[in-house]
Amino acid sequence: MKIEELQEKIVWIISIGFIFIMIGGLFLKHYEVRNVLFESTKCQYVTGNEFEYCIDVFSLKNDGNITGWLIKPEEDMNTVAIKVVFKQKNGKKAYIIPTTMQERKDVSDAMADGKNYDHSGFDVKMYNVSKKLDVQGKEYVVWFYVKINGKEYLYDTQKTLWDISEEMQ
């Protein structure tokens, strides 16, 4: 009887451990910085004032953190997906960093144009950015991959990481 109980406990512990490993793997996969070459055929490339954005927090130190908001003026943002993209200024590499949506009712209130921008906020935790980006040796331009109400855009801010870093000081 004791051997059967021991075997049952071991199976139980192994099962729980496996579940935690799977959840941890999914978490790490979601927050990884990926190096990709853009397949932008299904995205509309835009620059200038087609979008408005504001970076509230910008830090590349330690794990890195960027928070802010991005809107397409005069368009309700009911379903939104935003990813921050660091594109080498003189190269083909681009790093896509997933974001977490932040509710920003203050943006809707500030714009006061009757449109819903509540889902325009984003928060980026770049857990392994220092391992992937050579921020000392290369210049990166900040882009946003944005999907609003099913339509995809690639917005080029035409600002480098250093430009934004300078603006934050």
Side-chain angles (χ1 to χ4, degrees), residues 68-92:
W69 54 265
L70 176 120
I71 65 167
K72 187 167 189 335
E74 301 297 319
E75 186 168 332
D76 282 317
M77 297 180 67
N78 298 318
T79 56
V80 181
I82 300 172
K83 294 182 182 180
V84 175
V85 179
F86 295 150
K87 164 80 172 69
Q88 281 183 350
K89 190 172 186 176
N90 298 318
K92 293 184 179 184

Side-chain angles (χ1 to χ4, degrees), residues 23-135:
I23 290 171
L26 290 172
F27 177 81
L28 291 174
K29 180 71 178 161
H30 177 72
Y31 286 106
E32 77 175 334
V33 175
R34 287 169 279 164
N35 174 13
V36 298
L37 295 177
F38 257 111
E39 184 68 44
S40 59
T41 54
K42 56 184 180 172
C43 298
Q44 180 181 347
Y45 176 82
V46 294
T47 61
N49 60 1
E50 181 132 2
F51 283 88
E52 291 182 32
Y53 71 97
C54 177
I55 305 289
D56 299 322
V57 174
F58 180 83
S59 172
L60 293 176
K61 294 180 181 167
N62 300 321
D63 287 334
N65 187 36
I66 301 174
T67 61
W69 54 265
L70 176 120
I71 65 167
K72 187 167 189 335
E74 301 297 319
E75 186 168 332
D76 282 317
M77 297 180 67
N78 298 318
T79 56
V80 181
I82 300 172
K83 294 182 182 180
V84 175
V85 179
F86 295 150
K87 164 80 172 69
Q88 281 183 350
K89 190 172 186 176
N90 298 318
K92 293 184 179 184
K93 287 185 180 177
Y95 296 91
I96 299 176
I97 300 113
T99 67
T100 303
M101 192 278 294
Q102 301 292 309
E103 187 173 48
R104 295 292 302 256
K105 291 182 184 247
D106 60 313
V107 176
S108 293
D109 293 342
M111 292 301 161
D113 62 1
K115 300 296 180 185
N116 179 1
Y117 303 120
D118 292 355
H119 303 290
S120 63
F122 60 87
D123 182 26
V124 177
K125 302 272 192 279
M126 299 177 291
Y127 294 106
N128 57 0
V129 71
S130 60
K131 296 175 191 167
K132 296 280 187 171
L133 295 177
D134 177 13
V135 293

Side-chain angles (χ1 to χ4, degrees), residues 3 7 10 19 21 44 46-47 83 93 96 151 157:
I3 292 177
Q7 287 176 335
I10 290 172
I19 290 170
I21 289 171
Q44 180 181 347
V46 294
T47 61
K83 294 182 182 180
K93 287 185 180 177
I96 299 176
K151 189 163 183 184
T157 67

